[in-house]
Every structure is written in structure tokens, then in C-alpha cells.
Amino acid sequence: RGRDFDREFVRYMIDDHRKDIGDFRDEAREHHGQVSDLASRQLSTLREHLRLAMSLDRGHGRYDRDAQDRGDRRDNDRGGYNR
């Protein structure tokens, strides 16, 4: 029960961050002044959060310290900020 919840939560976080990155990237490209500037500045944080969530997914709900140390960025582009 607990592990199933953890896995589902991590998958939700991955999907949600990918969507957010796409939305923020699109807004940053619109050049709407301060709003676009803010979106652009937040992209690196969102990408880092996605990377961490993906690390949790590879660790089956547990934090994968090795991936963190390697700076593992596999799969970050899928459906995310390079749609």
C-alpha cells in the first residue's frame, strides 16, 4: 500500500513537472515582460525538480543518491522542456 502510493506520487510529480516545464518554457518565449522573465528564471529550478523526481522513480520511490552524484539527466527531455 505505501510503496504503491509512493510510486504513483513520484509518477505524478514527473508528469506534473514535465507539463510545468513546457508551460513555463512557452511563456518565456512569449516575451511578455516580467511574466516571461519570471518563467525563464524558474525553468532551471523546475528542471532540477524533475531530475530529482526521476531519480526517485529509478529508485522505486527511494532517493537515488548515485544518480544525484552523477548528475544523471537521462530521459529529462522526454515530454519535458524539449517537446
Side-chain angles (χ1 to χ4, degrees), residues 4-68:
D4 290 339
F5 174 83
D6 291 346
R7 281 190 209 112
E8 185 64 27
F9 179 79
V10 168
R11 287 185 188 118
Y12 174 81
M13 294 307 299
I14 290 170
D15 292 342
D16 192 54
H17 277 82
R18 284 180 170 161
K19 179 188 174 302
D20 289 344
I21 288 168
D23 291 344
F24 275 65
R25 183 206 56 231
D26 292 346
E27 178 56 45
R29 290 179 178 167
E30 291 296 321
H31 305 293
H32 290 144
Q34 291 180 346
V35 173
S36 294
D37 292 344
L38 175 65
S40 180
R41 287 193 310 270
Q42 295 304 310
L43 279 170
S44 63
T45 299
L46 289 168
R47 288 175 179 143
E48 176 64 11
H49 290 177
L50 173 60
R51 190 181 66 75
L52 290 171
M54 293 176 82
S55 173
L56 288 171
D57 189 43
R58 283 190 294 277
H60 303 290
R62 294 181 307 273
Y63 181 67
D64 184 350
R65 177 52 119 181
D66 292 334
Q68 170 72 20

